[in-house]
Amino acid sequence: MSQARRGYLYGLGAYTLWGFFPLYIRLLEPAGPIEILAHRVVWSVVFVALLLAVARNWGFLRELRHRPAKLAGIGLAAALIAVNWGTYIYGVNSERVVETALGYFINPLVVVLLGVAVLRERLRPGQWVALGIGGLAVAVLTVDYGRLPYLALTLAASFGGYSLVKKRLGLPAAEGMFIESAALTLPAIGYLGWLTWHSESSFGQVSAGHTALLMLAGAATATPLLMFAGAANRLPLTALGMLQYLAPILQLGFGVLVFHEPMPPARLAGFALVWLALVVFTVDGIRNVRRSRAALLAATPEPAAATAAR
């Protein structure tokens, strides 16, 4: 099997698993959003620690002890992913799966906006058009909801910020996830202990199946992330960018078709504008990659010409 085909399989697997997350989170009821988040943190540490133990890969911990700036960055990444996970779980449990899907649809636009605001990147005209359409979509959805779609915006901003920090840290997937989850472990264990002390914990109290599902939260969190890393290492950015829309498409389908959340005409119009913005954004990205490749080929001398030049 070629590396590209393997990359597509990893990417499809990662985004499909993320797309099915609403079904998994609903199965964790009656556990509340913060309890689910705490279990997700604790069992993620356990699962990734087992993977690292099998691989005997603990050397990165010694290196990080002498790099306080990187440790601070990991702390920021941990806080951002905790906000993202907690917001997503709350959205699913409060029957707002459609709004959470919107957050991941607009995430690519937020990442571009962060590139301008934080990295001082310059946008191409097509990217400005996509951002303008995305802003119009948020305005339409604000009118429809009667408020800002704050769950969607929080998800997009937190994951966009997390992606930016992760890009600067440059840690491999498993090692990065272990340290980020470890940074959140003490608060998570403290909260679970508080729930148990007050007899409000659902862990071990509902059924054996429910307890097993909570314990599997670590594997459910780490597996798609590791598959995503495998895809990112084998696929060009344009291919990965196209695959990322699979997860919110599945989430939107579950929200409307399985959980029967409303989709009035005004909300559908807002989503249509988001999709239009993504089409503009994607087409502009593909054209830019093709132009860059053409320019690179034009600047590279042919072998015969290079030999003659010698």
Side-chain angles (χ1 to χ4, degrees):
M1 182 183 295
S2 68
Q3 289 299 311
R5 182 172 296 181
R6 194 184 300 272
Y8 277 109
L9 289 175
Y10 280 140
L12 286 170
Y15 285 113
T16 300
L17 288 173
W18 279 326
F20 275 82
F21 256 46
L23 295 180
Y24 177 73
I25 290 173
R26 285 290 179 90
L27 290 175
L28 299 180
E29 294 178 346
I34 302 179
E35 182 180 3
I36 295 172
L37 174 61
H39 277 289
R40 192 173 182 179
V41 168
V42 171
W43 297 113
S44 291
V45 170
V46 173
F47 181 79
V48 180
L50 289 174
L51 293 180
L52 293 173
V54 170
R56 297 181 179 179
N57 186 15
W58 296 104
F60 67 96
L61 291 175
R62 290 190 296 271
E63 296 176 9
L64 286 174
R65 284 188 305 177
H66 307 292
R67 305 184 70 177
K70 202 156 198 173
L71 286 172
I74 292 169
L76 177 58
L80 288 168
I81 200 62
V83 170
N84 184 266
W85 287 353
T87 302
Y88 184 75
I89 295 166
Y90 170 77
V92 172
N93 279 357
S94 59
E95 300 182 354
R96 290 153 76 177
V97 176
V98 169
E99 190 174 346
T100 63
L102 172 65
Y104 290 108
F105 274 124
I106 65 176
N107 178 67
L109 303 177
V110 172
V111 170
V112 170
L113 194 59
L114 284 172
V116 174
V118 179
L119 302 180
R120 305 299 181 188
E121 295 178 352
R122 297 181 63 182
L123 297 188
R124 299 182 297 273
Q127 292 175 311
W128 280 115
V129 171
L131 284 176
I133 297 173
L136 179 60
V138 171
V140 170
L141 290 165
T142 298
V143 173
D144 171 64
Y145 281 113
R147 56 169 173 78
L148 274 173
Y150 61 86
L151 278 183
L153 294 175
T154 301
L155 285 171
S158 58
F159 197 75
Y162 175 74
S163 301
L164 178 64
V165 174
K166 288 283 284 184
K167 181 179 179 181
R168 291 189 165 185
L169 289 174
L171 285 173
E175 289 84 341
M177 185 176 180
F178 174 79
I179 302 171
E180 291 158 18
S181 299
L184 301 169
T185 299
L186 285 179
I189 291 176
Y191 180 74
L192 292 175
W194 183 87
L195 286 179
T196 302
W197 179 262
H198 289 83
S199 302
E200 296 179 8
S201 173
S202 66
F203 186 77
Q205 303 299 317
V206 178
S207 66
H210 178 265
T211 300
L213 285 171
L214 284 174
M215 294 176 68
L216 286 172
T221 298
T223 301
L225 184 64
L226 296 175
M227 294 175 76
F228 171 78
N233 291 335
R234 292 171 173 85
L235 294 178
L237 193 59
T238 50
L240 202 61
M242 294 298 292
L243 287 176
Q244 74 176 322
Y245 301 130
L246 175 61
I249 287 172
L250 288 171
Q251 292 166 3
L252 177 64
F254 286 129
V256 175
L257 302 176
V258 177
F259 301 133
H260 306 293
E261 294 184 13
M263 180 62 82
R267 192 166 305 169
L268 185 59
F271 269 84
L273 285 170
V274 170
W275 295 328
L276 176 61
L278 292 175
V279 168
V280 172
F281 177 77
T282 303
V283 170
D284 176 78
I286 293 173
R287 286 179 175 174
N288 182 62
V289 169
R290 288 177 177 173
R291 283 195 297 266
S292 300
R293 286 178 179 172
L296 182 61
L297 289 173
T300 303
E302 295 184 2
T307 302
R310 291 194 190 97

